[in-house]
Structures are given as C-alpha cells and as structure tokens.
Amino acid sequence: MTNQRILSHFHESAELKIQSATVLAPHIAQAIEMMFSALSNGNKILVCGNGGSAADAQHFAAELVGRFERERFPLPAIALTTDTSILTAVANDYSYREIFSKQVQAFGQAGDILLAFSTSGNSANVMAAIEAALEREMRVVALTGKGGGAIGKMLTDADVHICVPHDRTARIQEVHLVTIHCICDGIDVALFGGDVNE
Ligand SMILES: O=C(CO)[C@@H](O)[C@H](O)[C@H](O)[C@H](O)COP(=O)(O)O
Ligand SMILES: [Zn+2]
C-alpha cells in the first residue's frame, strides 16, 4: 500500500515531466535567450517565490553566482527570499504582499529580469513583484502552473510564461526544478557552446 503510493508519486512525476517537455521547451528556450541577452548586457536576475518556490529561487541564484556544471565566472542573480531583516521589516511595517516588490524597487533596473515562481499563479507578493518589475521596464520570466492564474494575465508579450500543465503543487514544483536546470544549462551553452565535457 505505502509502496504503491510511493510508486505513484514517481510515475506521476515522470509522466508529467515527459508531457511538459514538448509544451514547455519553446518557452524555456525563450527564457534562456532573454536571460543570456540581459546578462551579456550587464543586467542581473532577481528571483522570488514562496515556500518550496523560495527554495527554488535560492537554488537558481546559487547556480548562477556559484556554478551549475561548468567552471565559469559568477553571474549576477539575487534571491529576494533570503534577507530576514528586510523580509520581517517589510512584512511587519507594510505588508507581506510587499516583501518582494520593495526589493524589486530597491535593486531592479531597466533591462534586469525578474524570475518569478508561483505554482498557483496567484500569490499576491509575487504578483506585486511582477507589477514593480514591469513598472521599472524589467522583463519577467514566470514559472507557474494551474493554468497560470492571475500572473498569466499580468504578463506582456515581452515576458515569458512557463506554465506547467498540472494542478498539483508538488508536481508543478518538480517540473520547475528541471526547468531551472535547463535554463542554467542553456546559459552555459550560450556562453561556451558544446556539451559539459568539452
Ligand atoms: O512546497 C510547498 C508545497 O509543495 C509549499 O511550501 C508551497 O510552496 C507554499 O504553500 C507556497 O506558499 C505556495 O505558493 P504558490 O506556489 O501558490 O505561489
Ligand atoms: Zn514542496
């Protein structure tokens, strides 16, 4: 019984990944192109999300500033989920809704990219961050699920929407993870070409 449950998690996850690959590949390719071009112009990437998606935001920033699979110079990415003094002050003095948007206003510049994670597409603080980014002429890459929610409706044609075709938060997060690894790999390939062992 327990084993069956475990097996079904693995199967559902694997099946969704296969199914998402075709649907998401063109959007992921667009995100890679947009990020590579921004980084090449001296711009940076700000990243945000709640809960498991906060971990994804930090995971992505770590792979850009540190490394993914290749040795290379550090690339500028900042997770907006890590400074507990900023997060608690803004949540306490203003609202939880503004914890990311205030940081976008503080650090974001035209041409920078906001990478925004929300499995529901409806987290108010992620939406506020997107609003702030668009006001500053930043571009947005949104990783969502569940049809994209309100975030899907806020994005412009200049932005990229990577919407996982599923309704279960855990499954969506699992596809978000492989997506950020695709993006890291794509940026490395754009920088150096070829495969990892070259
Ligand atoms: O990791 C999980 C569930 O798998 C949770 O921590 C989850 O991230 C949190 O409930 C988030 O607050 C959900 O926000 P969102 O993805 O809808 O924007
Ligand atoms: Zn989770």
Side-chain angles (χ1 to χ4, degrees):
M1 176 63 181
T2 310
N3 264 356
Q4 199 47 51
R5 248 189 121 74
I6 293 168
L7 285 179
S8 83
H9 278 289
F10 275 85
H11 282 277
E12 194 178 89
S13 185
E15 277 155 24
L16 179 62
K17 286 200 180 98
I18 302 289
Q19 185 198 334
S20 300
T22 329
V23 182
L24 301 186
H27 304 283
I28 296 173
Q30 261 185 298
I32 292 166
E33 212 177 293
M34 183 191 286
M35 285 186 189
F36 176 70
S37 144
L39 293 167
S40 304
N41 287 332
N43 286 105
K44 64 185 171 300
I45 302 175
L46 304 180
V47 202
C48 68
N50 293 288
S53 296
D56 289 340
Q58 290 161 213
H59 188 151
F60 180 78
E63 283 168 342
L64 285 211
V65 173
R67 67 175 173 203
F68 177 53
E69 292 181 327
R70 299 195 195 194
E71 286 306 329
R72 59 153 163 71
F73 44 87
L75 294 169
I78 304 171
L80 305 180
T81 48
T82 58
D83 187 324
T84 50
S85 296
I86 294 177
L87 296 171
T88 55
V90 175
N92 199 37
D93 300 349
Y94 297 89
S95 68
Y96 191 74
R97 185 182 169 277
E98 290 169 86
I99 59 167
F100 301 137
S101 58
K102 287 245 185 246
Q103 296 186 76
V104 170
Q105 287 161 348
F107 306 129
Q109 291 178 318
D112 289 349
I113 290 178
L114 177 71
L115 175 59
F117 291 88
S118 175
T119 62
S120 60
N122 286 328
S123 282
N125 55 1
V126 178
M127 290 167 62
I130 292 174
E131 214 172 272
L134 295 177
E135 273 165 17
R136 301 185 78 75
E137 294 181 16
M138 292 171 61
R139 296 276 190 83
V140 177
V141 175
L143 269 78
T144 69
K146 306 184 189 184
I151 288 176
K153 298 188 178 76
M154 299 174 70
L155 299 174
T156 71
D157 288 345
D159 304 313
V160 176
H161 189 190
I162 301 170
C163 179
V164 179
H166 207 270
D167 283 331
R168 196 169 175 183
T169 301
R171 291 294 91 87
I172 296 164
Q173 290 174 335
E174 287 153 13
V175 177
H176 284 177
L177 180 56
V178 72
T179 300
I180 62 176
H181 285 152
C182 284
I183 294 175
C184 291
D185 177 67
I187 290 171
D188 279 356
V189 168
L191 284 169
F192 305 114
D195 73 38
V196 70
N197 294 317
E198 275 176 2

